[in-house]
Amino acid sequence: MFVMELTYTAPLEAVEDHMDAHVAWLDGHYAAGVFLASGRKVPRDGGVILAGGVSRAEIEKIAAEDPFATAGVCAYRITEFIATKTSSDLSTVRDNPAA
């Protein structure tokens, strides 16, 4: 799984100019089953996306295609982790490595 943390690198007004395209991009990756949860950080200086089911290379490509990234209004920090324990709702992305 991945934690995709984005930090705005431009004023919020510039970010808002690309919000509709960003939401459409999010919707596409939710429909594909890659994105599991997302939302704004508090304070509102970026956001967080939880993603799974793809490789590190794929998630980096996905992040690079975010309209926020292509417009230069955010930077991504991607952290990969092994989800060995999850709620039942996220059991499909749980990783149970051999002991």
Side-chain angles (χ1 to χ4, degrees), residues 18-31:
H18 303 282
M19 187 61 71
D20 290 343
H22 173 74
V23 170
W25 170 84
L26 287 168
D27 289 345
H29 290 292
Y30 273 107

Side-chain angles (χ1 to χ4, degrees), residues 49-81:
I49 302 167
L50 297 181
V54 295
S55 70
R56 176 77 187 209
E58 290 169 305
I59 209 68
E60 288 176 357
K61 182 178 184 292
I62 288 169
E65 294 170 348
D66 178 351
F68 283 172
T70 60
V73 300
C74 85
Y76 270 93
R77 177 177 175 224
I78 299 171
T79 304
E80 185 172 4
F81 73 102

Side-chain angles (χ1 to χ4, degrees), residues 6-53:
L6 57 116
T7 301
Y8 299 146
T9 58
L12 194 52
E13 297 78 24
V15 172
E16 288 291 342
D17 289 342
H18 303 282
M19 187 61 71
D20 290 343
H22 173 74
V23 170
W25 170 84
L26 287 168
D27 289 345
H29 290 292
Y30 273 107
V34 175
F35 290 173
L36 307 170
S38 61
R40 296 174 177 168
K41 293 193 291 186
V42 178
R44 189 175 175 198
D45 61 1
V48 174
I49 302 167
L50 297 181

